[in-house]
Amino acid sequence: MAIVYVDNKPCEMNPEENLLHGCLSNGFKLPYFCWHPALGSVGACRQCAVKQFKDANDRLGKIVMSCMTPAAEGTRISIADPEVVAFRGGIIEGLMLNHPHDCPVCDEGGECHLQDMTVMTGHDYRRYEFDKRTFRNQDLGPLVNHEMNRCIQCYRCVRYYRDYAGGNDLNAFASRDQVFFGRSEDGVLESEFSGNLVEICPTGVFTDKTLKHHYARKWDQQFAPSVCVHCALGCNTDAGERFGTLRRIVNRYNHEVNGYFLCDRGRFGYEFVNSKVRLRQPVLRGRPTSAALARKHLDQTVAEGRAIGIGSPRTSLEANFALRTLVGADHFYSGIADPEAKLVRLMLEILRQGPMRTPTLREIEECDVVLILGEDLTNVAPRMALAVRQSVRQQPMEAVKKLKIPLWLDHGVRDAMQDAKGPLYIATPYRTRLDDVATATFRAAPDDLARFGFAIAHALDSGAPKSQDWPPADEIARALKAAKKPLVISGTSCASEAVIEAAANVAMAAHAALSFTAPECNSIGAALMGGNSLSAAFQAVRDGYADTVIVLENDLYRRAPSAEVDSMLKAAPHVIVLDHLSNPTTEKAELVLPAGTFAESDGTFISSEGRVQRFFQVSVPQIEVMASWRWLKPDHWQNLDDVLRAMGRALPELEAACDAAPSSTFRIAGAKIPRSPHRESGRTAALVNINISEPKAPDDPDSALSFSMEGTPEQPPAALIPFFWSPSWNSIQAVNTYQKEVGGPLRGGDAGVRLFEPAPRNGQPYFSAVPPAFSPRRCEWLLVPMYHIFGSDELSLAAPGIRELTAKPHVALNSDEFAEGAEVEVICADGTFRLPVTIQREMPAGVAALSVGISPVVGISLPAWGKIARPK
Ligand code: SF4
Ligand code: SF4
Ligand code: FES
């Protein structure tokens, strides 16, 4: 650490960083706009000025931008020097000349970095009396709102959108005081990470358009720490609620997982919680009933009959465990289709026993050579794709380091790197959104992808099984061998065990990290919970072995062909379903129990990294909604801690769930952690239209969080942070004050417990089942699944903003027989679908990729052979 004197006070600062970073890390209130820990410094706004002195005798000093000056040993600066205070005042006055004074009606008001910085700088009077510059705003689609008059030209938006996230359709236009940030014309922002503009922009130019539909100020919402339910990466979020409506999702910084950014599915998919098709009351044989009668019916049916339970990979460990306890371990069945369950179990075994480390998303950003085998990351694990986009900078960065350019000096680094990228190798059946930064892409059928992987592993280690000679495999092997931090990514997207095994072989041979994607937010947890197979559940009902089937948060029509589900449900005398949204399975139920979503329940998920993480209810559920584990629990479990303890005893591998967050008895100086930010006006007025006496805040027996603004003013442990706020820091930038060092881990450690660490290298054998080469069939196509960030996820499909962006289901193939856009019939064992064709010339002959998860292509088992023909 370097010692830097700030107004004569010696402070420890990271010498590899700049003075602004050092000052903020030391708790100084130094205003800034254009700098961001994830984007580095460009010195555009001039707001972070400090005075720098040559030595202790220098009285004159010179004004420098703290974000552009290294925190070198012995540096002497002043934040409080009157000249530099006046300079910063002049800058903010200039930035505010054209800024509308519309804080009271601005969506950003109350959590605006510009507001905070204006107050911090002391600018409180407008001398400018002339007309302000005005712009025409753009319609940027259903997710992000645009109000360009609020812009202060800090350039953060374009730097994030283009340089960090790889988007092309947002830019800076025009010049002088007419500089405009937007698209060349109205239209939906193309980046799947556009929602981060809402937090990156320090003013109210880019705001959350979904929040606009049910707007509430930050201080009027209550928040809870949560975990995203829309893919398996487990990004940390904070959910904001008011009066029973979930208002929005914001990023909850976790240094090791999502850092500062979410994907748009994760940020905007939350609106399914407010959906019109939410189930809010128990329904028995088509009639609404009370919670007490519903529970009585459940108990009676289970006691008198032969009940089995079908769990779910999209709900918590606790809910799955409560169902397993209710029906008995022998009668508990996995809610994952058999082929997918097999793949997830295979990945689990590799992660448990292999010598490869499963990296965090932050570690992925630092990898210097990446091989992706079989995954279209942007569409299945979006935040991982964003991490891989950062990894392609690592190897070129070595040259920057040799030139001794500080890594935070953004323009210097980019000038030195130019367009150098990679190495990143992508081997998939079809085109991916990361191809634009790939060193090379390789398109093949799943079996050939596996063979390609086996060839790479063999090129790295001749002891690994061989498939065939493949020159590109040698090149990739050389790159992986030369890398300091090599990484292999694979997963379940190709539905191929061979692809997963080949990826494991490459990682083992290259001594590389190995990252797997998984299909749903708790696929790994559900696999660890175990249970009999889903097909066995269907069989048990059809054979009459079971007469009651309890389905937990799982639309079975998405797991198996509808004819199979129909016949099973028809054979079951009693069908009991717990879920949040009405769906084809709930429609077949004798009893429907309204289950709390992530926003109305507490629970634990295990991410694809193997990170065990807790989410907390943000509000007390309305009407008769309850967390699934509460519907199912035995009487002697009083609260979440009881469930966790019982689960740890029954399934020791899941004991770590107890440590995912402090228990319900946790207190700071005897106080709970408030879910609500402070309100100057007091909370008493919030419900005055209902009752002028302030009602008692609801109890929360399950967590250390309170449903009120009363509680500890201290910063809570990472797993319990409901919102980021510090004195003077009302915007999301308050996160700086929660970190040990700005941009680094949170104080007290980041949230979550990792389950899998690499096993010692004990000569674990390579996988040896090399599949035969793919051979196309005459008049038949190998149908492989193709996922879409907007559409393939069941829950976010019920969010209006996401639904508007949902991909049109189609079939992608390489053929001269069909024209682009032509409608074809895809005929396979699980059904016949009419879909438009998309021609992808680089796809292998004989392979067709089918949009899955979007009606009509749901519940089918792929890969499968099928026919594609013009409709008759
Ligand atoms: S739109 Fe926001 S982020 Fe972009 S330059 Fe303007 S103030 Fe900065
Ligand atoms: S990457 Fe996955 S977990 Fe993260 S925000 Fe997006 S959908 Fe949610
Ligand atoms: S933050 Fe330093 S110049 Fe903008």
Side-chain angles (χ1 to χ4, degrees), residues 228-235 262-263 265-267 381-384:
C228 179
V229 294
H230 301 295
C231 90
L233 291 179
C235 292
L262 300 173
C263 79
R265 178 155 96 190
R267 186 183 293 277
R383 185 62 185 79
M384 193 186 283

Side-chain angles (χ1 to χ4, degrees), residues 643-695:
V643 193
L644 288 164
R645 272 193 294 270
M647 187 167 70
R649 280 194 299 272
L651 298 160
E653 202 172 1
L654 296 178
E655 216 177 341
C658 297
D659 303 325
S663 75
S664 63
T665 55
F666 177 84
R667 299 286 184 275
I668 297 178
K672 279 196 152 199
I673 294 142
R675 278 181 171 87
S676 303
H678 293 282
R679 278 166 61 99
E680 291 284 308
S681 56
R683 203 128 280 270
T684 354
L687 294 168
V688 75
N689 58 327
I690 299 166
N691 189 339
I692 54 164
S693 306
E694 186 177 13

Side-chain angles (χ1 to χ4, degrees), residues 458-739:
H458 181 76
L460 282 156
D461 177 356
S462 56
K466 183 175 178 178
S467 57
Q468 68 186 75
D469 289 331
W470 234 321
D474 295 338
E475 179 202 321
I476 297 172
R478 275 195 298 278
L480 286 165
K481 206 168 209 163
K484 285 189 197 147
K485 293 183 181 173
L487 169 67
V488 179
I489 298 174
S490 191
T492 53
S493 294
C494 283
S496 159
E497 284 177 56
V499 167
I500 292 172
E501 291 176 354
N505 274 14
V506 180
M508 205 152 27
H511 295 249
L514 177 62
S515 197
F516 285 129
T517 68
E520 286 165 81
C521 60
N522 202 21
S523 293
I524 300 288
L528 283 168
M529 179 77 53
N532 306 304
S533 69
L534 187 61
S535 61
F538 282 35
Q539 197 63 42
V541 177
R542 280 194 300 250
D543 290 353
Y545 168 74
D547 62 7
T548 299
V549 55
I550 305 172
V551 184
L552 172 66
E553 299 187 35
N554 202 337
D555 179 8
L556 297 177
Y557 288 88
R558 295 180 73 87
R559 308 279 171 196
S562 42
E564 250 180 68
V565 185
D566 280 344
S567 81
M568 186 276 280
L569 294 178
K570 218 166 165 187
H574 306 288
V575 177
I576 298 171
V577 180
L578 299 94
D579 219 327
H580 336 295
L581 302 172
S582 169
N583 61 41
T585 306
T586 61
E587 280 161 22
K588 297 279 164 63
E590 170 189 72
L591 173 65
V592 178
L593 300 174
T597 62
F598 71 94
E600 298 133 339
S601 15
D602 301 327
T604 312
F605 294 144
I606 304 181
S607 72
S608 51
E609 179 208 331
R611 185 173 288 264
V612 190
Q613 302 190 105
R614 181 78 36 81
F615 59 92
F616 294 95
Q617 64 182 117
V618 63
S619 59
V620 180
Q622 289 180 325
I623 315 179
E624 306 274 24
V625 176
M626 258 198 289
S628 288
W629 62 263
R630 280 205 172 274
W631 278 115
L632 301 169
K633 75 177 183 66
D635 287 345
H636 62 277
W637 292 352
Q638 299 299 320
N639 66 6
L640 191 77
D641 294 337
D642 292 338
V643 193
L644 288 164
R645 272 193 294 270
M647 187 167 70
R649 280 194 299 272
L651 298 160
E653 202 172 1
L654 296 178
E655 216 177 341
C658 297
D659 303 325
S663 75
S664 63
T665 55
F666 177 84
R667 299 286 184 275
I668 297 178
K672 279 196 152 199
I673 294 142
R675 278 181 171 87
S676 303
H678 293 282
R679 278 166 61 99
E680 291 284 308
S681 56
R683 203 128 280 270
T684 354
L687 294 168
V688 75
N689 58 327
I690 299 166
N691 189 339
I692 54 164
S693 306
E694 186 177 13
K696 179 179 173 294
D699 287 331
D700 181 357
D702 299 314
S703 82
L705 297 153
S706 72
F707 284 111
S708 82
M709 60 183 271
E710 280 86 36
T712 177
E714 302 293 320
Q715 292 183 354
L720 292 175
I721 298 174
F723 53 86
F724 291 103
W725 181 88
S726 288
S728 305
W729 301 92
N730 297 290
S731 81
I732 192 88
Q733 321 277 332
V735 68
N736 290 345
T737 65
Y738 286 67
Q739 296 158 329

Side-chain angles (χ1 to χ4, degrees), residues 62-94:
K62 63 171 181 182
I63 288 178
V64 297
M65 295 309 120
S66 60
C67 72
M68 299 295 282
T69 313
E73 174 67 33
T75 306
R76 305 189 83 90
I77 56 170
S78 171
I79 296 174
D81 177 275
E83 200 183 355
V84 81
V85 169
F87 180 93
R88 292 197 299 262
I91 293 292
I92 196 99
E93 186 169 20

Side-chain angles (χ1 to χ4, degrees), residues 20 31-35 42-49 65-68:
L20 175 59
Y32 65 95
F33 289 115
C34 63
W35 175 82
V42 287
C45 71
R46 322 310 279 171
Q47 190 60 65
C48 67
M65 295 309 120
S66 60
C67 72
M68 299 295 282

Side-chain angles (χ1 to χ4, degrees), residues 148 150-158 181 200-203 205-206:
M148 200 27 224
R150 298 174 184 148
C151 179
I152 56 162
Q153 287 79 36
C154 73
Y155 281 77
R156 266 197 199 183
C157 52
V158 284
F181 296 85
I200 275 283
C201 176
T203 78
V205 177
F206 297 107

